[in-house]
Amino acid sequence: MNPRLRFAPSPTGYVHIGGLRTALYNYLYAKQNEGTYLIRVEDTDQTRFVEGAIEGMINSMQWAGVVHDEGPFIDEATHHIVEKGDFGPYIQSHRLELYKKHSDRLIESGHAYHCFCTKERLEQVREKQKSEGLTPKYDGHCRELSKAEVDEKLAAGLPHVVRLKLPTGRVIEFNDAIKGHIAVNTDDMDDQVLMKTDGLPTYHMAVVVDDHFMGITHVVRGDEWLISTPKHIYTYEAFGWEAPQFVHLPVILGQSKKKLSKREGDVSVEDFKRKGYLPEALINYIALVGWSPDDGEEIMDMQTLINKFSFDRVSKSSGVFDVEKLNWMNNQYIRNYDLDQLTVLSKSYFVESGFASDSEFDEKFAKYKNIVDILRERLNKLNEISDYYNLFNVNTIVLEDDEAREMIELPHVPSMLRCFSAKVAEIDAITADDVKRLLKEVQKETGHKGKDLFMPVRVALTGQVHGPDIAKVMEIIGTTNTIERIEYSIQNLCAE
């Protein structure tokens, strides 16, 4: 049987970057082994449900290129959620009868029981255990109720849950693909709640039933679930089902070495998309937070990741999310991206920062394509385009630093700039090639060359000693704006 893997998020808000990595690892393994990757929505906790979260999750995953084969999709015509695949429903709230049926089956076989303990009693038990230095867990008060007692309480309509009935003194063992051999004694475990008082399943019930009926062969999830896995394995056994291979991924840490959270910056896929990270770069980077190929390669497209991925090389320890490394990688992708496509992706950043309206951008696409080409080596993310608004749109020059002031105040600069400005004025639509030719002419006529020529011209036009190719900048801003900037700098910035 070809492998079947799933990403099973709860629709409680945004897609966390750790969730994206979990989905990616599932996807890579499935595709490498000619398997199936599906999405299942775990929405049985309706108190945490966020409207639009399912649609947001699907859109984030499609943007990132981690596209599922089965599960919920957004219909292009109606924009409604539709489910595709032979193992549905893929939304847990549509599967409630299945959980009730199998909960009853566990009760009938003696592997689960009704528990009528109130919240107040459970709290008293926990406090007593804590005071005695014990690990708080359910004390088994309802484990041995007779059928008659249970029937009487049910008939009276008493609130209840259904708990897994773990055997005593049993060591449950399994091999995790990353963590290795795990062995836990049931005496150190709790009789987990499987069905809540509202009749809805807990994660521990639904995950086992769903993974079984969806034919999941590998359960790849965060290692916060490692402690619960022995209960899941026993639940499989109680049903007489074969358990899947378990793969528990270490969490992603922030720079503080604590679990990555919003307190340390961006954590949602939408945050990174909004700032102008390219999906290919984000996927490439997040794959390497906790995994590396055996050849040490860093820049890898999706197909390369599929070819090279292995759970054997996933670290047992947590990886640190390094924004600086992500920025470097995103810059590498921006430098090498198809220019037309990159310009299209940049449109919203030009519009938001005031370069152009929607229609103006479309009408002057070639101009903005040239701007992207000039800036691409300097951009860590596309929202940094706004930093260059003044460069292309403002003729009143502001000096960036003391180095720029020292350069523009050199004694030879005013006459040299006037010479250059006069030559520019002779050309209606100046090009980068024109600029290079004119600078050579100025060099011959004035005797100034190298940084004594090029840097004052750059400062006069941009206020900066360093920056994008000044000849290309001049071609974009045009003859009139170039002359205006030079005249402004001579009158206001030069030392005359």
Side-chain angles (χ1 to χ4, degrees):
M1 180 181 176
N2 290 344
R4 288 177 57 82
L5 292 89
R6 86 308 193 266
F7 175 56
S10 298
T12 55
Y14 58 81
V15 178
H16 190 280
I17 203 71
L20 176 62
R21 189 189 65 170
T22 299
L24 176 63
Y25 285 3
N26 275 281
Y27 175 87
L28 294 177
Y29 186 85
K31 296 306 170 186
Q32 183 187 83
N33 294 280
E34 299 181 348
T36 300
Y37 164 68
L38 63 91
I39 283 180
R40 181 177 71 230
V41 176
E42 301 191 339
D43 66 336
T44 53
D45 187 350
Q46 290 293 306
T47 62
R48 299 176 63 221
F49 179 82
V50 173
E51 192 69 38
I54 298 176
E55 292 87 345
M57 177 270 297
I58 294 171
N59 288 330
S60 290
M61 290 299 169
Q62 289 185 335
W63 172 81
V66 185
V67 182
H68 49 298
D69 303 302
E70 301 175 14
F73 294 82
I74 298 175
D75 185 89
E76 292 183 5
T78 66
H79 303 294
H80 295 156
I81 292 176
V82 295
E83 298 183 50
K84 299 178 183 179
D86 297 330
F87 293 79
Y90 295 91
I91 297 175
Q92 282 187 339
S93 58
H94 300 169
R95 301 169 63 86
L96 299 182
E97 290 185 9
L98 189 64
Y99 309 129
K100 176 65 170 63
K101 172 183 174 183
H102 284 81
S103 168
D104 291 344
R105 178 176 160 184
L106 289 177
I107 293 170
E108 290 167 9
S109 66
H111 292 100
Y113 58 94
H114 293 94
C115 172
F116 300 90
C117 293
T118 63
K119 288 182 179 180
E120 291 74 20
R121 181 186 180 277
L122 294 174
E123 188 59 35
Q124 289 172 2
V125 169
R126 290 191 187 95
E127 290 303 319
K128 184 172 185 295
Q129 290 170 335
K130 285 180 183 178
S131 68
E132 295 172 355
L134 302 173
T135 300
K137 65 174 188 175
Y138 183 60
D139 62 354
H141 181 72
C142 294
R143 273 178 68 107
E144 305 305 331
L145 290 176
S146 67
K147 185 176 184 306
E149 289 175 307
V150 170
D151 289 344
E152 181 182 347
K153 292 177 184 293
L154 291 176
L158 292 182
H160 63 278
V161 299
V162 175
R163 291 183 180 273
L164 181 66
K165 192 173 188 178
L166 288 169
T168 56
R170 162 95 179 269
V171 175
I172 295 177
E173 301 178 74
F174 67 100
N175 288 308
D176 186 88
I178 294 173
K179 304 295 183 181
H181 182 257
I182 306 290
V184 181
N185 194 302
T186 54
D187 289 347
D188 299 322
M189 295 158 59
D190 208 357
D191 280 0
Q192 187 67 52
V193 174
L194 299 178
M195 301 293 287
K196 297 177 287 186
T197 54
D198 59 8
L200 295 175
T202 63
Y203 171 82
H204 307 281
M205 178 66 181
V207 72
V208 171
V209 171
D210 288 343
D211 283 343
H212 172 72
F213 282 103
M214 291 183 180
I216 301 302
T217 59
H218 297 71
V219 171
V220 182
R221 59 190 179 188
D223 62 5
E224 66 268 25
W225 296 112
L226 184 65
I227 193 171
S228 300
T229 303
K231 300 174 188 177
H232 300 166
I233 288 174
Y234 181 72
T235 307
Y236 277 101
E237 181 183 313
F239 281 123
W241 300 336
E242 182 180 351
Q245 169 69 59
F246 289 97
V247 185
H248 286 92
L249 307 174
V251 299
I252 296 177
L253 303 178
Q255 292 294 320
S256 66
K257 303 300 188 293
K258 296 179 180 179
K259 187 174 179 180
L260 187 65
S261 71
K262 266 199 175 296
R263 286 187 297 275
E264 294 192 63
D266 300 320
V267 295
S268 78
V269 174
E270 190 60 36
D271 287 337
F272 293 98
K273 177 183 177 182
R274 192 180 303 113
K275 288 193 172 181
Y277 288 94
L278 300 178
E280 296 88 345
L282 185 60
I283 284 295
N284 189 163
Y285 176 71
I286 202 67
L288 295 172
V289 181
W291 169 82
S292 62
D294 53 15
D295 60 6
E297 187 175 359
E298 286 193 301
I299 304 297
M300 292 172 281
D301 61 18
M302 186 70 86
Q303 189 56 54
T304 304
L305 289 171
I306 290 170
N307 295 340
K308 294 189 175 188
F309 183 74
S310 167
F311 287 124
D312 293 339
R313 293 192 59 81
V314 174
S315 173
K316 289 181 172 64
S317 57
S318 297
V320 175
F321 191 90
D322 184 349
V323 175
E324 292 304 314
K325 185 62 178 288
L326 171 60
N327 287 344
W328 171 84
M329 184 167 285
N330 201 51
N331 174 259
Q332 299 302 304
Y333 274 87
I334 288 173
R335 287 167 179 248
N336 295 290
Y337 220 71
D338 176 81
L339 185 55
D340 283 315
Q341 191 176 353
L342 186 63
T343 306
V344 171
L345 292 175
S346 302
K347 177 178 179 178
S348 63
Y349 304 99
F350 280 111
V351 173
E352 288 168 11
S353 54
F355 274 85
S357 65
D358 264 285
S359 59
E360 287 170 340
F361 181 91
D362 294 338
E363 290 167 9
K364 299 179 180 179
F365 184 83
K367 171 186 174 180
Y368 294 102
K369 178 179 174 180
N370 287 337
I371 294 177
V372 171
D373 194 27
I374 293 171
L375 298 180
R376 66 196 301 179
E377 290 190 1
R378 299 172 175 275
L379 298 174
N380 287 328
K381 47 192 187 295
L382 295 182
N383 72 345
E384 292 173 0
I385 285 171
S386 64
D387 297 342
Y388 296 90
Y389 176 84
N390 286 0
L391 176 65
F392 294 101
N393 297 283
V394 177
N395 291 344
T396 51
I397 303 303
V398 176
L399 297 176
E400 183 179 56
D401 51 28
D402 290 341
E403 185 181 6
R405 183 171 300 283
E406 290 172 9
M407 190 60 64
I408 201 72
E409 291 181 350
L410 291 172
H412 73 280
V413 170
S415 60
M416 185 184 71
L417 288 177
R418 288 192 179 98
C419 177
F420 181 57
S421 180
K423 292 180 179 296
V424 171
E426 295 174 0
I427 302 172
D428 290 336
I430 197 164
T431 67
D433 288 338
D434 291 329
V435 174
K436 293 171 185 176
R437 176 176 55 80
L438 296 182
L439 286 171
K440 287 180 181 178
E441 292 179 9
V442 172
Q443 178 180 326
K444 285 182 180 180
E445 293 180 22
T446 66
H448 300 295
K449 60 183 179 179
K451 76 173 192 175
D452 285 340
L453 170 60
F454 301 119
M455 285 193 175
V457 169
R458 176 185 294 283
V459 173
L461 291 169
T462 69
Q464 302 171 335
V465 174
H466 307 286
D469 187 322
I470 195 62
K472 292 182 178 178
V473 171
M474 287 175 61
E475 180 175 330
I476 289 170
I477 67 175
T479 299
T480 302
N481 289 320
T482 296
I483 293 171
E484 281 189 22
R485 292 186 186 198
I486 293 174
E487 292 303 318
Y488 179 89
S489 293
I490 291 172
Q491 294 176 23
N492 298 279
L493 304 178
C494 291
E496 280 194 306

